[in-house]
Amino acid sequence: MLKGRPERSGRPFALSGGEFPIPMDRDVAMETELSEAERVLLDWLKRHGPDDWHQVSIDWNWDAGVQILAWIAAQPECDRATAQNLLVIGGADYYLRFADRAALLAAEPYNLEPFDLIMPIVARWNTGGYERSEIASYEPSSLTPQLRRHRAAEQAQGGRPLPFRLDDSVFEPLNGRGFSYLYAEGWPPEVEAEIKARGLSY
């Protein structure tokens, strides 16, 4: 868990065509939302590419917050497998019980961060926005059970309007290069070394 994390504003970012709490924009400035250690990691991510972003995302400790994951998911070159894993790990089906963000805010404000991460990914996925597909699904055997669970959660709403819908393609195994756990809680060794050299907490 990161120490000395800045307070989150909770204020949605404007996005053309609507409003999402996390923007799908390569150039959006996130530095005010990040700790000093996270800024070091973000600088590292900017110097690397989709494979490295994927590795960080599958290893990331979500208890440390989701802004780094949001930056990764917002990149035009973000791989489909990365987005897929964020949707599955993020438990998108859980949020089907809430009519919208306002309902979630009223009932479970502590769950806003993952919801705010997932919604723009859902919107981008459903419109074909994740074009790069060079990485294999992470834990593909979990996808079919996740599909059944998601559809069951939809049916459990009894015909009430859903806050979002996920295409079946989210749960289809992707082919490509395989990845396994590598970075402790998502922090590459060179990033950890720089953080420690600068005397930062993380």
Side-chain angles (χ1 to χ4, degrees):
M1 177 76 71
L2 289 171
K3 301 176 183 177
R5 174 179 301 283
E7 289 295 321
R8 305 296 191 196
S9 67
R11 183 177 60 255
F13 295 93
L15 181 68
S16 59
E19 205 174 56
F20 289 109
I22 293 174
M24 287 290 139
D25 186 338
R26 176 206 299 261
D27 300 319
V28 69
M30 293 174 51
E31 280 75 3
T32 58
E33 296 285 335
L34 300 178
S35 69
E36 288 295 325
E38 285 174 315
R39 292 175 193 174
V40 175
L41 175 57
L42 181 60
D43 288 342
W44 183 91
L45 290 168
K46 289 177 178 179
R47 298 193 301 269
H48 290 73
D51 282 17
D52 296 297
W53 305 339
H54 183 75
Q55 186 68 65
V56 169
S57 74
I58 64 175
D59 295 343
W60 188 252
N61 175 8
W62 286 51
D63 288 341
V66 301
Q67 293 292 341
I68 288 294
L69 300 177
W71 184 90
I72 291 171
Q75 302 315 298
E77 299 87 3
C78 177
D79 200 272
R80 283 174 66 82
T82 306
Q84 179 188 61
N85 187 62
L86 291 174
L87 291 174
V88 172
I89 295 298
D93 60 282
Y94 179 80
Y95 299 101
L96 292 171
R97 69 193 68 189
F98 303 101
D100 51 30
R101 189 177 189 272
L104 174 62
L105 176 61
E108 300 181 5
Y110 48 85
N111 273 326
L112 277 178
E113 273 203 345
F115 179 86
D116 288 348
L117 167 67
I118 289 169
M119 289 303 99
I121 301 175
V122 170
R124 182 174 168 185
W125 184 287
N126 286 344
T127 55
Y130 289 102
E131 298 180 359
R132 185 187 192 268
S133 186
E134 299 180 12
I135 300 174
S137 296
Y138 188 63
E139 298 182 349
S141 62
S142 70
L143 294 175
T144 297
Q146 287 285 352
L147 172 59
R148 289 196 294 264
R149 176 175 152 179
H150 193 87
R151 297 305 177 223
E154 289 179 334
Q155 294 176 5
Q157 304 316 306
R160 290 177 294 177
L162 299 174
F164 64 91
R165 291 187 179 276
L166 279 184
D167 188 78
D168 282 355
S169 61
V170 170
F171 305 97
E172 295 174 357
L174 298 168
N175 297 318
R177 295 183 294 282
F179 286 71
S180 58
Y181 190 84
L182 180 63
Y183 300 147
E185 299 191 348
W187 296 88
E190 54 264 51
V191 174
E192 288 188 308
E194 181 176 349
I195 290 171
K196 291 176 182 177
R198 293 171 58 177
L200 302 175
S201 298
Y202 74 106

